[in-house]
Each structure stands twice: as C-alpha cells, then as structure tokens.
Amino acid sequence: MTVIPVLDAAGRRRSPATMPGYHAGRPPRNKGLRYPADPPTVEEIIAVMRQTADDRHGFRLRALIVVLWRGGLRIQEALALGERDLDPARGSLVVRNGKGGRRREIGMDAWGWEQLRPSLAARVEMPIGPLFCVIDGPTRGRHWSSANVRVEFRRLAAQAGIRRRFAPHQLRHAHAIELARQGVALNVIQRQLGHANLGTTSIYLQGIDTEEIIATVHARRAPMMSATAGLRL
C-alpha cells in the first residue's frame, strides 16, 4: 500500500509529529519537572537583546523580551496582546484574559516603551491581528507560537554565551525581583503579576541572592528612641 505524503502550504513534506493525534497518549517529556527560580541578570538580558537582528524579526524578538521583562507578563498573555491593548500615553498594557480568566491592567516603564517602538512601526505594515504575530509565509499576521518563541530565546542565549536557562518565565521572575529590590510594595507586585495571592508572589522573590538579603538586613540603622525615653517625669 502506497502512503501519500502530506505536504504543507509551501509544498514541503510535513513531519508526522505535526499531525493531529500524533502525541495522543504520550506523556509530556517535561511532566513533573520543576525549574528553580534562576532569573537572568540585567547584563545577561541585554546581551541576549543585542543578538537580535535589525529587521522585523529582530524588532519582534526585542519587543517580546521587553514586554516579558519590563511588564512581567506570562508568555501566553504577551502573545495574546493586540495593538488596542497598548496605551503608550499612560504607559499601560491590558491583559484581557490572564490566568483564571482574570483581566488586569499593568504598567511598563518608559525605557520599555522606547524599545517597543520599532516593532510597533513594523507591525502596522502587516494584517490586523495579534501584536506578536507570524511575519512571513501563508500564516502572516496570525498568532506566533510559544514553542517558536522558546526556540528563538535558546538560540539567542547561546549566541550571547549565556550559560543558564533563558526562558520566557525567567524574565517574569526577573521583573518581580527587580521591583522588590526597588522597594515596590509586595501587594503592588502581586497585582502587576496577576497573582491570586501573596504566597505565589513570595515564591517569585526566592531568586533574591542570600548575600543580598544578609547585606541589606545587616545595614539597617540602629533603633531610634526618644531622648526622654526611660527618664522619670
């Protein structure tokens, strides 16, 4: 019996792994794996951003890194953003369907918006759709997949010589830790990240180095007391 190969839109043979039902009944390879909170440093993130090309593909990658890092979004929240969800004047982004179906509005700093501009300018030349979309081919303008994002992130990190896991969620952890270091209140960080409770937010802050905790507490000022405290009236 002759098996007729299945071809994609470009006339290339499709891998069986892309066919519906191929993974049915197969346990995911990463099931049960838990990665530690090991967020990249500012220097490492910038090093990865410098590996992107100065074209539409590079603009899209830099913009996505910025939204994940400076806005603290989950990867699916970022990929679901539309052009109407951005308000540069207010410095805000609207997450319409976050975890648990919750809607929230978050902030992003001026530097982040500046890095986003080249991608926004390139996006207006493509069909209306998600902000981070497929750029070339028959699916141009449609949703970009998180799997492809992870592949691109690994490639850029390898080119930059980053010797640690560089994944979208690591950038979200980096965002939380940087806010905490800057003295942002825990409940504000919670709302920015879209966590249902403060316990989850606290887990994100476990990436703060122990030496930093010790140095911060050790540097506390001596207790202050009134000059008349303990004196008899």
Side-chain angles (χ1 to χ4, degrees):
M1 179 178 177
T2 303
V3 178
I4 301 176
V6 179
L7 307 179
D8 63 14
R12 296 168 296 195
R13 181 191 292 266
R14 287 183 60 179
S15 166
T18 65
M19 302 300 293
Y22 178 81
H23 296 284
R26 300 168 184 253
R29 288 180 296 177
N30 63 346
K31 184 177 182 179
L33 294 180
R34 298 182 67 87
Y35 294 99
D38 183 30
T41 65
V42 172
E43 292 77 15
E44 288 173 333
I45 299 173
I46 295 298
V48 170
M49 292 178 67
R50 285 174 176 161
Q51 299 302 313
T52 59
D54 285 324
D55 57 18
R56 291 180 301 172
H57 294 272
F59 298 155
R60 178 185 60 177
L61 275 167
R62 282 203 296 273
L64 182 56
I65 289 173
V66 162
V67 166
L68 296 171
W69 173 31
R70 309 304 293 182
L73 269 63
R74 300 176 178 93
I75 180 61
Q76 295 300 342
E77 293 173 344
L79 293 178
L81 286 174
E83 294 173 82
R84 65 192 179 105
D85 297 328
L86 277 63
D87 188 346
R90 293 183 62 228
S92 68
L93 296 89
V94 175
V95 177
R96 299 187 180 276
N97 189 24
K99 193 171 184 179
R102 293 185 292 271
R103 181 188 186 277
R104 74 182 189 279
E105 191 171 12
I106 61 107
M108 192 168 72
D109 61 281
W111 183 86
W113 285 102
E114 182 181 342
Q115 304 306 310
L116 205 59
R117 286 197 191 101
S119 180
L120 295 177
R123 184 64 185 83
V124 297
E125 300 175 0
M126 289 181 280
I128 296 175
L131 181 65
F132 299 107
C133 65
V134 176
I135 292 177
D136 299 315
T139 58
R140 183 172 180 262
R142 297 183 187 175
H143 283 87
W144 195 21
S145 77
S146 60
N148 286 336
V149 170
R150 291 184 173 88
V151 169
E152 288 296 312
F153 278 18
R154 286 195 296 268
R155 177 182 64 82
L156 292 173
Q159 290 179 0
I162 305 303
R163 303 286 294 173
R164 78 164 85 204
R165 183 168 176 263
F166 192 91
H169 213 66
Q170 303 299 92
L171 297 174
R172 181 168 155 87
H173 276 276
H175 177 71
I177 288 175
E178 288 173 18
L179 290 181
R181 285 173 176 159
Q182 292 164 11
V184 177
L186 189 59
N187 64 321
V188 174
I189 299 176
Q190 175 196 3
R191 294 185 63 179
Q192 172 79 359
L193 297 177
H195 289 155
N197 58 73
L198 284 172
T200 305
T201 308
S202 298
I203 293 173
Y204 272 60
L205 304 182
Q206 291 178 354
I208 296 179
D209 186 67
T210 304
E211 292 301 321
E212 182 178 348
I213 296 172
I214 294 172
T216 301
V217 177
H218 181 71
R220 293 178 68 198
R221 293 185 299 175
M224 304 296 290
M225 60 187 297
S226 170
T228 59
L231 299 180
R232 293 182 181 179
L233 298 176

